[in-house]
Amino acid sequence: EVQLVESGGGLVQPGGSLRLSCAASGFTFSSYEMNWVRQAPGKGLEWVSYISSSGSTIYYADSVKGRFTISRDNAKNSLYLQMNSLRAEDTAIYYCARAGFGWDYWGQGTLVTVSS
Amino acid sequence: QTVVTQEPSLTVSPGGTVTLTCASSTGTVTSGYYPNWFQQKPGQAPRALIYSTSNKHSWTPARFSGSLLGDKAALTLSGVQPEDEAEYYCLLYCGGAWVFGGGTKLTVL
């Protein structure tokens, strides 16, 4: 069974940092592209970042470029999102999503709250 | 930055048919945008329905179908069920970036 489990969310002050993790199981993680998507409270979905299966190709949304860093460790079946210089508008549930045949599997999300 | 536009809300009667659309500010949506459609219910993660315009996942009910309609991507629900009441999002690949539409809140009434 494919599973994606996010962790690392929490309350952080503006300007602070947080590292999210996404633990993958039930499939060959190293064969799949992955994405981070976020959803602010009561709002729609926003794509955050993409990473290719090998990690050689990376894209970011303009809203996080220069502040967030996506990475993966295929040996540990894990995806990461390092978030620096956090702002109030980064408050959201953060989901990891597998890009197989479409974006087929999603985790349940981890909540990041940026507030003083 | 590409903007992807969906109907904010639609209402359909049980058993009816409804079409949701997904437009790009850059022009005609083609298969090269790899349109994806997702369903999200309150308190849940999004669930994938359609990928690459019209392909269904193994769990996608037969009443859901995807297509290109004019200059937009479209999701059609035929024989709507009460459990189809949800928020629906489209997703387009826009050359090095992915962009979600703002979502369509579908009410079954």
Side-chain angles (χ1 to χ4, degrees), chain B residues 19-83:
Chain B
T19 297
L20 290 63
T21 67
C22 177
S24 170
S25 62
T26 59
T28 299
V29 176
T30 65
S31 58
Y33 284 74
Y34 302 100
N36 280 250
W37 290 92
F38 303 91
Q39 177 192 67
Q40 188 180 33
K41 296 182 177 180
Q44 296 183 14
R47 181 175 78 131
L49 293 174
I50 300 288
Y51 66 97
S52 295
T53 304
S54 58
N55 295 281
K56 299 180 186 182
H57 295 280
S58 59
W59 53 81
T60 304
R63 61 183 180 275
F64 290 85
S65 63
S67 65
L68 296 177
L69 201 61
D71 59 353
K72 302 176 184 179
L75 176 71
T76 299
L77 288 70
S78 304
V80 172
Q81 301 297 306
E83 60 265 30

Side-chain angles (χ1 to χ4, degrees), chain A residues 2 4 27 32-35 96-100 102-106:
Chain A
V2 172
L4 297 169
F27 65 101
Y32 288 85
E33 303 163 357
M34 298 293 296
N35 289 273
C96 60
R98 187 182 87 163
W103 292 26
D104 49 6
Y105 288 93
W106 294 58

Side-chain angles (χ1 to χ4, degrees), chain A residues 35 37 39 43-47 50 59-62 95 101-109, chain B residues 1 36 38 40 43-48 51 57 59 89 91 93 96-102:
Chain A
N35 289 273
V37 176
Q39 186 169 35
K43 303 296 185 182
L45 301 173
E46 179 188 14
W47 170 74
Y50 157 95
Y59 301 130
Y60 297 100
D62 288 345
Y95 298 100
F101 289 100
W103 292 26
D104 49 6
Y105 288 93
W106 294 58
Q108 284 304 302
Chain B
Q1 173 81 358
N36 280 250
F38 303 91
Q40 188 180 33
Q44 296 183 14
R47 181 175 78 131
Y51 66 97
H57 295 280
W59 53 81
Y89 293 94
L91 173 67
Y93 175 67
W98 291 88
V99 184
F100 283 96

